[in-house]
Amino acid sequence: MQIVKIDPNALSEEYGEKMCESLEQGNILVLSAGIFNPTDQDCALLRSSKQSASSAFKNIAYKPHINRTTGVSADAGVDATEVHRILAAYSTGAIDFLSRLLPQYAKSWKVDYATFRPLEEQGRDLPLNRRNDLMHVDAFPTRPTHGGRILRLFTNIHPEKDRVWVTSYPFEELVKRYAKEAGLDEVTTAPAALKRSVGRIVRMVSRKDSDRTAYDEFMIRFHTFLKSNEEFQKKGQVDLSHFKPGETWISFTDAIAHAVKAGQYAVEQTCIVPREAMLHPDLAPLAVLERAAGKPLATR
Ligand code: SIN
Ligand code: FE
């Protein structure tokens, strides 16, 4: 994994291609100060807001498709509409910047949530599956991507402290070492397919279940498997990266196994990029896993 500096004055179709290439190779792009960062005053306001104590909320989330922000504690002492305004503005600015940086992806991506992460990540008390301090690849249980890529842009809004990430082997290597053990062969069996079909019917009737493919099911398993594998957590730490206050970093977090070791106060924007928009669709997790399984994984 390499850290690649973004030159904000170089944005063009050709530069975008270079950046897409770098992201698809499993690198992290870094921008020293985003023009879309919230103002100092708005950062201070976000930092004084509190997250709801309910375990239903892992972060404070702005959901652009319904124009709502969830997870702000009612006793925060901060006006929830102010938090909503700041996150909506950050989301618009981040998407505008990403569209100019990566025009190849912007044509077909789906804008997902923006989040604010108010809690110190070091020693945060969460069930294993929700911990951010254990290395994992990202997969969303409630929002399956069917092979689409999870592109995330983070900004550190702590006034002094770095946000520290540890990352692991390239995705291909992770698959070679752990995919079988994590159950790659099981997600393509007839009972597993039947269970997903039932889930699809439940979803049509009650809107409650999610429409997963074998790929989505495996990625959720892989996420949990990696978090609970002690050997991987100990020996798989390859790179340590410090993201400074004000810095923004961008990566495909479905392919880079990552954990946040320390840091407080970050904002983030996610986009789901269809696999067809990749310069190298064969490097996408879906393709790597299909080669390993010897079967298609995104058919329903
Ligand atoms: C994560 O996606 O694991 C969280 C990373 C972060 O909040 O820095
Ligand atoms: Fe993650």
Side-chain angles (χ1 to χ4, degrees), residues 117 132 136 138 152 154 163 165 258 260:
R117 295 142 188 262
N132 288 335
H136 62 280
D138 283 346
R152 302 188 106 169
F154 295 85
R163 198 165 186 91
W165 270 30
H258 59 282
V260 47

Side-chain angles (χ1 to χ4, degrees), residues 215-270:
Y215 169 77
D216 299 299
E217 194 179 326
F218 178 76
M219 289 301 281
I220 289 162
R221 278 184 186 227
F222 209 26
H223 170 107
T224 309
F225 174 90
L226 293 173
K227 279 186 174 175
S228 47
N229 188 305
E230 281 180 30
E231 183 217 72
F232 170 64
Q233 294 298 331
K234 265 202 209 119
K235 299 193 185 146
Q237 302 195 13
V238 178
D239 293 300
L240 198 67
S241 306
H242 283 250
F243 303 110
K244 295 190 178 56
E247 269 185 351
T248 284
W249 60 107
I250 305 167
S251 66
F252 277 123
T253 55
D254 52 1
I256 299 183
H258 59 282
V260 47
K261 284 292 169 203
Q264 191 177 6
Y265 308 127
V267 274
E268 171 267 340
Q269 172 68 56
T270 299

Side-chain angles (χ1 to χ4, degrees), residues 26-150:
N27 298 318
I28 298 180
L29 311 183
V30 176
L31 178 68
S32 50
I35 36 168
F36 47 84
N37 285 15
T39 61
D40 289 349
Q41 201 180 357
D42 282 351
C43 284
L45 195 141
L46 276 185
R47 290 193 298 261
S48 65
S49 68
K50 266 200 266 161
Q51 180 170 327
S52 163
S54 159
S55 62
F57 302 108
K58 184 171 160 185
N59 304 302
I60 291 173
Y62 164 68
K63 301 175 179 173
H65 60 296
I66 50 170
N67 191 28
R68 268 195 67 203
T69 296
T70 56
V72 183
S73 169
D75 62 359
V78 171
D79 187 351
T81 57
E82 279 292 276
V83 175
H84 177 71
R85 172 189 63 78
I86 298 166
L87 285 184
Y90 171 76
S91 174
T92 305
I95 291 293
D96 177 63
F97 175 75
L98 278 174
S99 310
R100 288 184 293 116
L101 178 69
L102 309 167
Q104 292 84 346
Y105 295 161
K107 290 177 196 135
S108 53
W109 66 32
K110 184 167 164 277
V111 175
D112 196 71
Y113 301 169
T115 57
F116 170 50
R117 295 142 188 262
L119 300 172
E120 171 57 57
E121 296 288 348
Q122 193 167 29
R124 190 173 163 188
D125 185 21
L126 282 173
L128 178 129
N129 207 22
R130 305 184 87 191
R131 278 174 62 180
N132 288 335
D133 61 337
L134 295 170
M135 288 188 296
H136 62 280
V137 287
D138 283 346
F140 302 144
T142 55
R143 305 189 307 290
T145 70
H146 307 162
R149 309 291 319 272
I150 301 178

